[in-house]
Amino acid sequence: MATIDTSIAPTKLARRTDWLGRAATFCYLTIAAGQLLFVAFILLYYYVRTLTGNFAGWNDKPIITGYVAGDTAGNIFFAVHVLMAAVITFGGLVQLVPAIRTRWPALHRWNGRLYLVSALTLALGGLWMTWGRGSWLVLAGAFGITLDALLIIGFAALAWQAARARQFVDHRRWAIRLFAVASAVWFMRVGYMAWGMATGGAGIGKALDGPFDIFLAFANSLIPLAIAELYLRTGARGTPAARKGVAALLIVCGLIILAGSGGAWMMMWGPYI
C-alpha cells in the first residue's frame, strides 16, 4: 500500500529489480495524489465555511447530516470530525515516507502521535455521529462505519503498543494496516467514482441502498486492508512469483485510484469549491 519498509522484505541481489517495491511506491504516489485532492477540498470547502462562521454552508454539498439548527453538540462534533479529516489524511501520508522516518525521527514520532490521536478521535466521533446522531441512510452503511471504527481503534492501539515496546518492524506493520482502514472514507469516494465510470453506476441505489452500496460499505475498509496484508506478507516471505503477482495487483490498484480520484475531484469535490 505504500513506500514503506524495505526492512520487512528479505535482502535481494543488487542486480535484481525490486518490482514489488516499485509497484508499492507507484501505488503510494497515486494514493497521495488522490488524498491531497481530498485535503484540498476539505480546506477550501469545510475550513473556509467553518472559520468564517458559515456553518449552514456545510449543507451546500449533499450530506446525510451536516449543520442542524439548534443542535449545538451535534454541530460541534461534525465540525471536529470533518476538520480533523484533513489532519489525519495529510499526517498519514507524511508518516509513510521512509526518508522522513530516517532523517527526521522526531518529526516521525510526533506526527505519529498526532496521527494516532486523530484516528481515535475520528473513529469515536464517527461512532457517535452514526448511532447518536443517526447519520446513516441504510443499516448496512451504519454497520460498515462501525466495523471500520473498531478496526481503527484496534490497529491504533496495537501500533502504539509495538512502538512503546520498540518493536519497530511490528509497529510499521500495524501502522500500515491502520492507514488502510483510516483511509476508508476516502477509499469509498474513490471506489464510487471508479465503479460509476466503469459501469455507469450499476448497483448504486438512489438512497445508497443498492447491492454495490452495501458491498462498498464494508469493502471500503476490508479490501484496502486485504491488499495491505498481501503486500506485507509477500514482502516478508513471498516467492518471486508471488511478489510479481502482488506488484501487478498494486499497479492495477494505483491506476484505479488515479481514475477514481480524478472522477471524485470533477464530480464530488471541485464543483463545490
Side-chain angles (χ1 to χ4, degrees):
M1 291 298 295
T3 59
I4 335 131
D5 301 333
T6 55
S7 60
I8 65 174
T11 303
K12 298 294 181 182
L13 295 177
R15 296 178 182 177
R16 183 174 298 175
T17 302
D18 181 13
W19 292 112
L20 180 61
R22 291 188 178 188
T25 299
F26 171 73
C27 192
Y28 168 80
L29 291 174
T30 63
I31 291 172
Q35 291 198 350
L36 288 175
L37 289 177
F38 188 44
V39 170
F41 164 70
I42 295 171
L43 294 177
L44 295 173
Y45 182 82
Y46 285 111
Y47 271 72
V48 168
R49 285 162 173 76
T50 301
L51 295 178
T52 57
N54 181 21
F55 307 120
W58 297 340
N59 300 334
D60 292 345
K61 182 180 183 297
I63 193 170
I64 296 175
T65 308
Y67 174 77
V68 178
D71 183 13
T72 303
N75 293 331
I76 291 174
F77 267 95
F78 180 83
V80 171
H81 191 78
V82 295
L83 298 183
M84 290 196 71
V87 176
I88 191 173
T89 303
F90 184 76
L93 293 174
V94 171
Q95 201 66 4
L96 295 184
V97 178
I100 292 177
R101 185 178 69 240
T102 303
R103 298 177 186 177
W104 299 287
L107 174 61
H108 178 78
R109 288 194 298 271
W110 282 104
N111 183 65
R113 294 184 180 109
L114 177 61
Y115 185 75
L116 290 177
V117 170
S118 300
L120 291 172
T121 301
L122 288 171
L124 295 173
L127 288 173
W128 183 85
M129 287 199 299
T130 299
W131 300 109
R133 208 182 192 202
S135 297
W136 53 272
L137 292 175
V138 293
L139 195 58
F143 283 131
I145 292 171
T146 301
L147 172 63
D148 183 54
L150 294 177
L151 289 172
I152 290 172
I153 293 169
F155 291 161
L158 290 166
W160 172 258
Q161 183 181 42
R164 293 278 293 176
R166 304 187 67 80
Q167 298 171 345
F168 295 120
V169 173
D170 287 341
H171 166 70
R172 290 168 193 143
R173 291 173 175 272
W174 289 117
I176 293 171
R177 296 176 180 120
L178 174 60
F179 177 81
V181 296
S183 302
V185 169
W186 176 78
F187 279 122
M188 173 175 280
R189 284 154 176 75
V190 171
Y192 265 121
M193 293 312 306
W195 179 260
M197 289 187 292
T199 69
I204 299 177
K206 291 183 178 180
L208 300 183
D209 55 354
F212 181 75
D213 302 300
I214 296 172
F215 165 78
L216 194 59
F218 298 93
N220 65 344
S221 58
L222 295 181
I223 287 181
L225 179 59
I227 295 171
E229 198 66 32
L230 279 175
Y231 166 71
L232 290 170
R233 292 177 182 270
T234 304
R237 52 184 177 272
T239 64
R243 291 172 64 86
K244 289 179 181 178
V246 174
L249 174 63
L250 291 177
I251 291 172
V252 171
C253 290
L255 294 174
I256 293 172
I257 287 168
L258 281 178
S261 298
W265 178 262
M266 289 186 292
M267 299 187 67
M268 288 185 174
W269 304 329
Y272 297 96
I273 293 175

